[in-house]
Amino acid sequence: MDLISSWLGNTPEFAVPFALAALGLIITEKSGVLALGAEGLMLVGAVCGIGAYLTFEQTAVALVMAMVAAGVVSLLFALMVLVMRINQVISGLVLVFFCQGLTTLTGTLMGWTNQPVPGLEAIALWPLSELPYVGRFFIQNVVVYLVPVIFLISVWALNRTTSGLRMRAVGENPQAADAAGIPVLGYRLAAIVIGSALIGLAGAFIAVLSTKLWISNMTAGRGWIAVALVIFARWSPWKALAGAILFGCIEALIPQLAASGIKLPQYFVFMAPYAITLGVMIWVAISKRDSSSQPGALGTPFIREERT
Amino acid sequence: MKKLILSACFALAGLVGLTTTAHAEGFTLKGEPKIAMLYISPTNDGGWTQAFEEARQRLEKELDMKIQYVESVPESASAIRPAVERFIKRGTNIIIGTAFGYSDTFKSLSEDYPDVAFLNGSGTTNGPNLLSYYGRTYESQYLCGMAAGAASETGKLGFVAANPFGQVNWTINAYAMGAREMNPDATVTVVYTGAWNDPTKERSATKALIDQGADVIGQHVDTPTPQLVAQENGVYGTGHHRDFREFAPKATVCSSVWVWDRFLKNELEKIIAGNWVPEPHGALLSMEQGGTDIACCGPNIDKEEEAKIMAARDKLLKGELKVYAGPLKDQNGNVHAEAGEVVSDGDLWQMDWFVDGVITQQ
């Protein structure tokens, strides 16, 4: 009883960064740009969120500035992949290494390392919060409750608005979209910046709301798990959300099992999230459902009038 | 056959090498001493490196000389070598490292530069001009365990640890033994996070322990997160690396702290005096030799309990108390030291057993 309620109560802390980062990646990749830089952009969001909080002492300001900062840094990525048409895999990896160095340097020079911040109060969603077992799942900070709303808006924008449909057209077949008069690079730029802002928010969530401090490289590979999530969600936001919750559940369960003294081989437990990632990816590959859901032009630079 | 001869030659060469070092004079500096330190992280990391930086500042005063340093040198030969060689070119002849991952590069550097003395904190390699050193953290953590046992109302202690290997397990066992010194029924529940520096995992581990009823949280991970979570939840904790009252003044009752200057001052003086012979298997420092100490005591520990902790500290500082002295049995009844014996250093490094009162998944 204690174990289950404590477990579910801690799940969003792990699930929300995965969900937001995966959504950001999906938005960018729907426009045909392969984004691998999530790990780096999350760090940018994290350090900027903490820095902004320490400067302005407003959590909302900190979160917004983290999104802006990640968006600004992603302009560099956009310059590389859209204007200079550098290989998108390489650009993404370079972005991660660049951000790791940049954030460590900034955090150190500004003295933001290990400075605790208060985060946000948890709000209880009465009467759901009174339910047995699952009650603690509904005592979370406001950003957790905003996640489904952000997903709803994103899915609606992608499927129901002209801009969203155009962005997806750019990702499926940029030549056709171009012939129809859609500015391909403009839409891709917008997708990169919006997606990166969401990834920045994921990083800020980890630093400002979850752990409540900054240390160098604190995202600890969660950006890479988000990249994997996008692949096994087949670029579907709702499946990515489900995957994020599944991952959050596993990560939150690990310390609960240890704290309640249940005997399980330690290294097997540490391996579990990655073993499950592998398992799900293999399952997706074998079942081949929605195999066409990958954006058609993913990873291909756009050159106007070029035959492909 | 060729291989066999070759290896025989090497073995012989090794033997000759051994005998010559055994008979040779110790290491003596060629010129005026000039010291430099290499840090693995930024100097304001709040833990490991900051403790070295504080030691460096005290050493400068005590030895009355300037000690240079370079920060954020990652654990890779391509980063360590140029940094060290730049110092050596400028005439530095004592190099102090601070990381496990420097071990191999320091070994090869010490062979390339036989006139330079090398020291490496938490390293594993040694040689005629290279000494690795580390602290017996279980001594200071034993005292933290005593403080935790004293501060706890329920007798249920939690411990957030990095990875299950000797160096971490020895602090956990000592913590439990210290706690039982104050409260014979105390238990220590351990959560390993599998990482030294992942505040997200440390936070959820600490929360899980508090949810299960732990009211004092010990730690052997690098960030102050467990202390912050303890303070948020109105329970107590004990810190590691530095005095974590800086982060959680209402929660931290005791911290295991590094006092490298106490050891380094002695060792540097020995090197400067000349004829320095480093210990062949490295220096594993007891509190008596410097290395670790405690910052005690925070809230919820009364005068009587504090006196008891300080008395134990005095004994450790004088070398009169051995934490791993026999008779010592693990949970499964295996004897690890008979009465009058002390667990050997080799066994300490390989510790994979737990004493009564420790609850782990291992």
Side-chain angles (χ1 to χ4, degrees), chain A residues 173-205:
Chain A
N173 190 336
Q175 274 73 23
D178 186 47
I182 300 171
V184 173
L185 294 185
Y187 271 93
R188 285 190 170 175
L189 176 67
I192 290 175
V193 173
I194 294 169
S196 301
L198 280 172
I199 298 171
L201 181 62
F205 182 91

Side-chain angles (χ1 to χ4, degrees), chain A residues 34 77 80-81 84-92 299 301:
Chain A
L34 180 63
F77 176 69
M80 286 194 287
V81 299
M84 298 160 120
R85 295 193 282 263
I86 299 167
N87 180 310
Q88 297 179 359
V89 176
I90 310 271
S91 309

